[in-house]
Amino acid sequence: MDLYYTAVTPGATIVKVRGRIITTNKGVSLTDFTDVKALFEADGNLYQTEAQNPYWGFRDPFPFRDAKSGKLYMLFEGNVAGARGTHIVGPAETGEVPPGYENVGNSRYQTGCVGIAEADDDNGDSWTLLPPLVTAVGVNDQTERPHFVFQDGKYYLFTISHKFTYGDGLTGPDGVYGFVSDEIFGPYIPLNGSALILGNPPFQPFQTYSHYVMPNGLVTSFIDSVPVDKTTTGMDYRIGGTEAPTVKIKIKGDRTFVVNEYDYGYIPPMVDVILKA
């Protein structure tokens, strides 16, 4: 089994470690996850490096095999390459806007993107960086935990983001956002017109975070913060630190619908599991 993750300090490098999962009548154990192999890091040409921006992001690997081509790819969160503050946000980036909204302020600092790399071998030991699938220059600075759901021959791309990482004059809730395409390399269009799938309510803006849309439509997340009485703690919130209620969504075409809510941390098997006596 290969485990992919982001190694940090110094820098940020996508790495993997190979080990074994051993199951017995007494339980499950992990072994041999000791030999860490560095795979790739931001290059400064496609993806922003720490030298270009001390607030850059390069993390959250999501390896997958494309059902159409059989090739091994990996999604990750990144920022579009270039020195911090040098990105141009003009008519090509903003599109049609009403009169008086042409001033984009400091949105040139928002450079989030969903990156992708292609494996050079079937084992995933060597990778080549490819141009981002979705970019958010002038819109948002973080497109975290990108992942796919494959359904009806389409590519449903999901990512999570923050209210505080939006550019000047823009806003959106902490939550999960989604896009869809008929082809792996796009073009991608936002689901529901706005890309918002699930967002925190205004009265609890940090209610949940780190959403993950599973292939069966269940969406898991964690409780981010819980409002408390400031008079006793000196703070108006405490860290949740546990699984939030699971939500069920239905994906149909370029729309999503909330259809059910389950208990905290409800994550059932996605395939039938047969236990032998």
Side-chain angles (χ1 to χ4, degrees), residues 7 13 15 18 35 67 85 96 102 104-105 113 125 144 159-160 164 193-195 206 214 217 272 277:
T13 304
V15 303
R18 181 169 295 168
D35 187 14
E96 297 294 333
E102 295 85 359
V104 296
C113 68
D125 291 328
E144 297 183 294
T159 183
I160 55 177
F164 72 85
S194 66
F206 308 111
M214 292 179 270
D272 292 334

Side-chain angles (χ1 to χ4, degrees), residues 9-269:
T9 309
T13 304
I14 305 298
V15 303
K16 79 170 184 178
V17 58
R18 181 169 295 168
R20 294 182 297 153
I21 300 177
I22 299 176
T23 61
T24 68
N25 292 335
K26 296 182 179 180
V28 179
S29 62
L30 306 179
T31 185
D32 298 333
F33 287 92
T34 55
D35 187 14
V36 178
K37 179 179 178 60
L39 300 179
F40 58 85
E41 55 190 30
D43 61 346
N45 294 314
L46 293 172
Y47 300 99
Q48 205 169 47
T49 64
E50 187 176 17
Q52 293 176 328
N53 177 13
Y55 309 104
W56 98 123
F58 197 79
R59 54 183 180 267
D60 300 346
F62 177 82
F64 67 96
R65 194 169 294 278
D66 180 26
K68 294 183 179 180
S69 67
K71 293 182 179 180
L72 180 62
Y73 293 98
M74 191 186 309
L75 299 181
F76 54 87
E77 176 197 359
N79 290 88
V80 177
R84 174 174 164 79
T86 63
H87 294 77
I88 296 175
V89 182
E93 288 73 30
T94 62
E96 297 294 333
V97 296
Y101 286 84
E102 295 85 359
N103 185 358
V104 296
N106 288 324
S107 61
R108 66 183 182 276
Y109 293 109
Q110 271 62 42
T111 59
C113 68
V114 174
I116 187 170
E118 180 180 346
D120 302 322
D121 57 73
D122 203 50
N123 291 325
D125 291 328
S126 176
W127 296 79
T128 297
L129 290 172
L130 302 177
L133 294 183
V134 173
T135 62
V137 173
V139 177
N140 202 302
D141 205 40
Q142 288 188 6
T143 49
E144 297 183 294
R145 202 175 181 178
H147 54 282
F148 270 128
V149 168
F150 308 105
Q151 179 180 302
D152 303 326
K154 298 181 182 294
Y155 296 82
Y156 288 93
L157 174 61
F158 297 97
T159 183
I160 55 177
S161 197
H162 292 284
K163 181 178 181 179
F164 72 85
T165 58
Y166 273 93
D168 281 3
L170 301 173
T171 187
D174 280 39
V176 58
Y177 296 79
F179 306 83
V180 63
S181 175
D182 291 324
E183 302 296 335
I184 187 173
F185 294 110
Y188 284 86
I189 64 171
L191 292 169
N192 303 324
S194 66
L196 182 62
I197 308 301
L198 294 170
N200 287 336
F203 59 88
Q204 287 198 34
F206 308 111
Q207 180 174 263
T208 61
Y209 196 64
S210 200
H211 302 76
Y212 174 65
V213 183
M214 292 179 270
N216 56 9
L218 294 179
V219 185
T220 182
S221 61
F222 67 74
I223 298 174
D224 194 353
S225 62
V226 180
V228 295
D229 186 353
K230 189 175 182 179
T231 59
T232 58
T233 65
M235 300 179 64
D236 57 5
Y237 72 94
R238 64 176 175 84
I239 299 299
T242 190
E243 287 280 341
T246 297
V247 176
K248 172 82 171 181
I249 66 170
K250 179 181 180 180
I251 305 171
K252 186 174 179 63
D254 60 359
R255 293 290 185 266
T256 64
F257 309 88
V258 177
V259 296
N260 214 335
E261 181 181 328
Y262 300 93
D263 201 358
Y264 294 83
Y266 175 72
I267 306 177

